[in-house]
Amino acid sequence: MNKKDIASIRNQFKLNSRYMKIREIFNVYVKKESGEIYHQVTQPFELLEQEAQELFLTNFKKVLTGGLDAKLFELKFRSDVEESTQMILFNGLHADSTEAWNDKMLQIVEKMFAHTKYEFDTVVTFIRGEYQKATRKRDMESEEGGDDEVYSSEFVLCSLNKTDQPKKALLFDYIEKEFKSNNAVDPIINLTAPLAGFLFPAFNDNSADVNHILYNGGKVNQPNEMFIVDVLQCEEIITALEEKDTFDQILKIVVGDEVDSKVISNVYEEVDKMVQENQENEESEPPKLDSKDIERILEASGVEDVSSDKVEHAFKSVVYDEKHEIKASSVIPKSIKIETKIANVTINPKDLKNVKYITYNGKKCLLLEVDEEVVVEGFRLETGEL
């Protein structure tokens, strides 16, 4: 799934959505440490109070929010598993009765808590419904009625949330006109920050892909490997941070530890061109880099003495799987931080070429080229000549 696919689904989690129908919601309350189910309840989503619907819809959006390969991961199911999570989800999705659907979802809950215990009670929420997406607008000049041409698919979404104990507080009773302590003991379900979640199936090119699932790891660059392998039973993944580290190690072997800032800036620009062209052509498969791509990028960026053997050796020494390709979007940092004892500077990668590291009067200096006046505490700084 790409950002556009995810955003399209996420935006439909709203009241009275035209293209999404949530039929049932199934909540399972699980006790801490023991992992035992304390309570479970299922009901039509439409029968919830509007305020409760809005809280859950916000939670479902959170499950589909985050950077790809950083917080959101499209996982591929393993094919060598008996009674796999893939088949449980598929059969549950198409179950004829609510009871059958509940039974399948409880099998997922059992897998979640088979090897994991939390220090707090948790609530696992499942919904199943239908998602539609317009693929072609109708001809407004036509006399024929009807809606846009759409494709439709069933889906299951899961959200795992922690519970918080209510804080003690002093309240003022307007009726009795007196101060009272807050005696609330009911745990609060934290719907603002899901611990994990997933969407099944994944959606690509206006079609459902039952061989993949979209997983939310809860924290950036900290996917739960046990959840991925034992619960979802999917293939292991590499995060964007790990991909970036791999790319940086290859560059250090080829280029060396010292490099001109303009060269690094050129490298990021070349990679960004690939990403932008991919988005402009609306290609579903994200661009990836092998040793040949990295060689071309380094040559175009002004790196001297680049050879196929040198780049291939660096690639093989860092990447264990020779067939592995690095996602281009993962290697471009959102921002670059330059930290010194005097000051910390944060800049856009494309502006790195405007930064020079020089020696002036025997002192190391950071020269930053700007095209506007510099204002400090309301004062314009005087311009001097180097």
Side-chain angles (χ1 to χ4, degrees), residues 219-325:
K219 296 182 179 180
V220 177
N221 287 311
Q222 296 182 40
N224 188 324
E225 293 184 10
M226 183 178 293
F227 196 99
I228 293 172
V229 175
D230 296 335
V231 178
L232 299 179
Q233 297 175 318
C234 292
E235 296 179 356
E236 296 182 357
I237 56 172
I238 299 177
T239 67
L241 187 63
E242 292 170 331
E243 292 272 64
K244 175 71 169 62
D245 183 61
T246 298
F247 183 77
D248 290 347
Q249 289 184 54
I250 294 172
L251 259 59
K252 284 184 179 180
I253 294 175
V254 177
V255 180
D257 291 333
E258 293 187 4
V259 65
D260 187 270
S261 59
K262 187 175 182 180
V263 172
I264 301 178
S265 179
N266 290 341
V267 169
Y268 290 143
E269 282 190 5
E270 289 295 322
V271 177
D272 187 57
K273 286 180 184 178
M274 296 179 62
V275 176
Q276 296 302 323
E277 289 176 0
N278 177 267
Q279 293 178 352
E280 290 174 1
N281 296 332
E282 296 185 350
E283 298 176 7
S284 58
E285 187 69 23
K288 297 181 179 180
L289 309 175
D290 57 16
S291 61
K292 294 295 183 182
D293 295 316
I294 295 177
E295 179 187 352
R296 180 192 60 77
I297 290 171
L298 295 182
E299 288 180 343
S301 302
V303 179
E304 300 179 353
D305 300 326
V306 177
S307 66
S308 300
D309 292 339
K310 194 174 184 180
V311 176
E312 188 174 342
H313 170 73
F315 194 92
K316 290 181 178 180
S317 63
V318 176
V319 181
Y320 296 106
D321 183 2
E322 296 181 8
K323 296 181 180 179
H324 177 71
E325 295 179 327

Side-chain angles (χ1 to χ4, degrees), residues 75-93 104-112 126 156 158 198-201 210-213 226-235:
L75 309 178
K76 183 178 181 180
F77 288 109
R78 300 204 312 271
S79 57
D80 57 344
V81 181
E82 295 182 2
E83 298 295 327
S84 67
T85 299
Q86 179 184 15
M87 289 307 301
I88 293 173
L89 286 169
F90 183 84
N91 292 332
L93 183 62
K104 294 300 180 182
M105 296 306 101
L106 288 175
Q107 291 182 38
I108 304 294
V109 175
E110 183 179 346
K111 290 189 178 188
M112 285 184 181
F126 296 95
V156 168
C158 171
F198 59 80
L199 172 72
F200 174 83
V210 297
N211 292 316
H212 290 81
I213 188 171
M226 183 178 293
F227 196 99
I228 293 172
V229 175
D230 296 335
V231 178
L232 299 179
Q233 297 175 318
C234 292
E235 296 179 356

Side-chain angles (χ1 to χ4, degrees), residues 10-26:
R10 182 176 61 242
N11 292 338
Q12 293 306 317
F13 282 105
K14 57 187 177 182
L15 293 175
N16 304 316
S17 172
R18 181 182 179 185
Y19 292 113
M20 180 175 289
K21 174 70 172 179
I22 302 175
R23 293 197 296 273
E24 295 174 293
I25 182 169
F26 182 38

